[in-house]
Amino acid sequence: MSNYNVAPLERLVEQFEKMPGIGYKTAQRLAYYVLNMPKTEAKNFSEAIIEAHEKIHYCKVCCNLTDGDLCPVCRNEKRDKGIICVVETPRDAMAMEATDEYKGTYHVLHGAISPLNDVGPDDLKIKELIARLSENVSEVIMATNPTVEGDATAMYISRLLKPMGIKVTRLAYGIPVGGDLEYADQVTLARALEGRNEL
Amino acid sequence: MSNYNVAPLERLVEQFEKMPGIGYKTAQRLAYYVLNMPKTEAKNFSEAIIEAHEKIHYCKVCCNLTDGDLCPVCRNEKRDKGIICVVETPRDAMAMEATDEYKGTYHVLHGAISPLNDVGPDDLKIKELIARLSENVSEVIMATNPTVEGDATAMYISRLLKPMGIKVTRLAYGIPVGGDLEYADQVTLARALEGRNEL
């Protein structure tokens, strides 16, 4: 699109294009949307980016994102500090929160072990997890993703924790609720069979 | 997600969620992406928004977006100023540019007549179009969208221009290249038949 190049607009399109799942066309659409915003709104948007960057950091305990010292979960006295759910990203923790079922705390690793991407155990918040373990912790739930990397991470951490006498569990694999056996992949189905429960 | 609410993050998510085609989940993904950017990049992004807003305005002649007095097309001496292609949005002009076929100029209406959305002829850049017409203009191509609104706008403008003795044309309707007759809708197919050319 070199024929028609308005530099400040192109720069904005480029910024959007870098984002995950945003191609050139969508980036254009978003940039035009921003251009058509009222000036005050554009200012708010611009400031929200800077503000988020300046105010948000990791929770001292669980490494989740927060703008305070502790994250809302670690701050909450009603949450069971004896159970720690280990997740890869803050969004995974949010997904767990959305179930409204889990009353324990989290630990966010900020990634998973992935030799291909040059991510080793030391790049994750595993030291921080070990540091917060005490005799009050009764269970660590490995809720990393059901992928090769997530599984490897869960396995790695469980091997660290088990010798310390801590109960380590893993989220159940199986067919998703509302899913269709016909369309379930073989591995998932095999895992569902393996993990079958008595009725 | 009231259980887990980090205010600066939520504000950023809200900003993204307002954008067209962006739902809550995508907004979250984008906000986390922004959070994970290096600080300098976040600053660039934030500044790109403000910069685009401050520097970009309408071209004095064609109402397309530009950061100068005239847009790159109107500035370009090689473009045929005698042909004006009327489009609804700057992105439509960009799409035309991408064909690399059109050597005339543009006129951007910034919308289409739509009584349902309370957009009348006076809300569009029609006065600006009339104002730039001179005897040097040999043809005005109506390239508004092939929708009810786009058609109505094309019709409205052509009725204004024809009495002035200006040739007004409309982009051809027909089956898209690479399309399949079987899947073409009836109206499109009827228009393609109507507009058939001799081989």
Side-chain angles (χ1 to χ4, degrees), chain A residues 32-155:
Chain A
Y32 279 111
Y33 173 81
V34 168
L35 262 190
N36 284 329
M37 275 178 172
K39 216 157 209 147
T40 51
E41 275 214 51
K43 201 155 161 278
N44 285 345
F45 187 16
S46 168
E47 285 169 357
I49 292 170
I50 295 294
E51 192 201 12
H53 248 264
E54 280 175 356
K55 293 205 181 152
I56 295 180
H57 45 254
Y58 294 163
C59 168
K60 279 201 305 188
V61 173
C62 74
C63 300
N64 204 342
L65 301 174
T66 180
D67 54 346
D69 238 19
L70 295 178
C71 75
V73 172
C74 290
R75 231 170 15 222
N76 189 339
E77 286 178 11
K78 289 188 191 140
R79 305 293 294 237
D80 184 351
K81 302 290 190 295
I83 304 181
I84 300 175
C85 176
V86 178
V87 293
E88 291 182 21
T89 68
R91 281 160 68 205
D92 296 333
M94 261 203 178
M96 286 291 289
E97 278 300 277
T99 66
D100 243 343
E101 288 284 334
Y102 182 64
K103 301 297 172 210
T105 60
Y106 295 97
H107 191 85
V108 181
L109 297 174
H110 291 282
I113 296 171
S114 168
L116 277 179
N117 297 316
D118 224 7
V119 180
D122 293 343
D123 300 313
L124 307 177
K125 304 292 179 191
I126 296 179
K127 279 188 302 291
E128 288 80 353
L129 174 62
I130 307 285
R132 65 187 278 208
L133 294 174
S134 67
E135 51 198 13
N136 297 328
V137 173
S138 61
E139 181 178 357
V140 172
I141 304 171
M142 297 304 311
T144 50
N145 285 328
T147 56
V148 175
E149 290 82 8
D151 281 344
T153 310
M155 199 55 76

Side-chain angles (χ1 to χ4, degrees), chain A residues 188-199:
Chain A
T188 300
L189 211 48
R191 293 293 193 104
L193 192 66
E194 218 175 277
R196 66 188 180 279
N197 301 304
E198 209 170 316
L199 287 176

Side-chain angles (χ1 to χ4, degrees), chain A residues 1 3-12 15-16 18-22 24-26 28-39 41-56 58 62 64-67 71-73 75 79 90-91 94-95 97-98 100 103 106 110, chain B residues 1 3-12 15-16 18-22 24-26 28-39 41-56 58 62 64-67 71-73 75 79 90-91 94-95 97-98 100 103 106 110:
Chain A
M1 229 74 62
N3 292 341
Y4 192 83
N5 207 327
V6 182
L9 184 60
E10 273 310 303
R11 274 197 287 278
L12 190 56
Q15 291 291 345
F16 280 114
K18 282 183 206 159
M19 307 184 107
I22 306 280
Y24 186 76
K25 283 252 173 183
T26 309
Q28 262 193 345
R29 194 157 43 93
L30 297 181
Y32 279 111
Y33 173 81
V34 168
L35 262 190
N36 284 329
M37 275 178 172
K39 216 157 209 147
E41 275 214 51
K43 201 155 161 278
N44 285 345
F45 187 16
S46 168
E47 285 169 357
I49 292 170
I50 295 294
E51 192 201 12
H53 248 264
E54 280 175 356
K55 293 205 181 152
I56 295 180
Y58 294 163
C62 74
N64 204 342
L65 301 174
T66 180
D67 54 346
C71 75
V73 172
R75 231 170 15 222
R79 305 293 294 237
R91 281 160 68 205
M94 261 203 178
E97 278 300 277
D100 243 343
K103 301 297 172 210
Y106 295 97
H110 291 282
Chain B
M1 231 74 68
N3 292 340
Y4 192 83
N5 207 329
V6 182
L9 184 60
E10 274 310 303
R11 274 197 286 279
L12 190 56
Q15 292 289 347
F16 280 115
K18 282 183 208 161
M19 306 184 106
I22 306 281
Y24 186 77
K25 283 252 172 182
T26 309
Q28 263 192 345
R29 194 156 44 93
L30 298 181
Y32 279 111
Y33 172 81
V34 169
L35 263 188
N36 284 330
M37 278 177 171
K39 217 161 208 141
E41 275 215 49
K43 202 154 160 280
N44 285 345
F45 188 15
S46 168
E47 285 170 357
I49 292 171
I50 295 293
E51 192 201 11
H53 248 264
E54 281 175 355
K55 292 206 182 151
I56 294 179
Y58 294 164
C62 74
N64 204 342
L65 301 174
T66 180
D67 54 347
C71 76
V73 172
R75 236 178 359 231
R79 304 294 293 238
R91 281 158 70 204
M94 262 203 177
E97 278 301 276
D100 244 342
K103 299 298 173 213
Y106 294 98
H110 292 282

Side-chain angles (χ1 to χ4, degrees), chain B residues 100-174:
Chain B
D100 244 342
E101 288 285 336
Y102 182 64
K103 299 298 173 213
T105 59
Y106 294 98
H107 191 84
V108 182
L109 297 174
H110 292 282
I113 295 172
S114 169
L116 277 180
N117 297 316
D118 225 6
V119 180
D122 293 342
D123 300 314
L124 307 177
K125 305 291 180 193
I126 295 179
K127 280 188 300 292
E128 288 80 351
L129 174 62
I130 307 285
R132 64 187 279 209
L133 294 175
S134 67
E135 52 198 12
N136 296 328
V137 173
S138 60
E139 182 179 356
V140 172
I141 304 171
M142 297 304 311
T144 50
N145 285 328
T147 57
V148 176
E149 291 82 9
D151 282 344
T153 310
M155 199 55 75
Y156 178 88
I157 294 177
S158 79
R159 283 192 189 156
L160 280 180
L161 304 193
K162 273 187 182 163
M164 301 167 71
I166 291 163
K167 180 177 165 193
V168 184
T169 56
R170 180 94 174 96
L171 285 191
Y173 287 100

Side-chain angles (χ1 to χ4, degrees), chain A residues 151-188:
Chain A
D151 281 344
T153 310
M155 199 55 76
Y156 178 89
I157 294 177
S158 79
R159 283 191 189 154
L160 280 180
L161 303 193
K162 273 186 182 162
M164 301 166 72
I166 291 164
K167 181 176 163 193
V168 184
T169 57
R170 181 96 173 94
L171 285 191
Y173 287 102
I175 43 170
V177 178
D180 194 322
L181 278 197
E182 197 181 335
Y183 299 117
D185 64 291
Q186 298 167 10
V187 184
T188 300

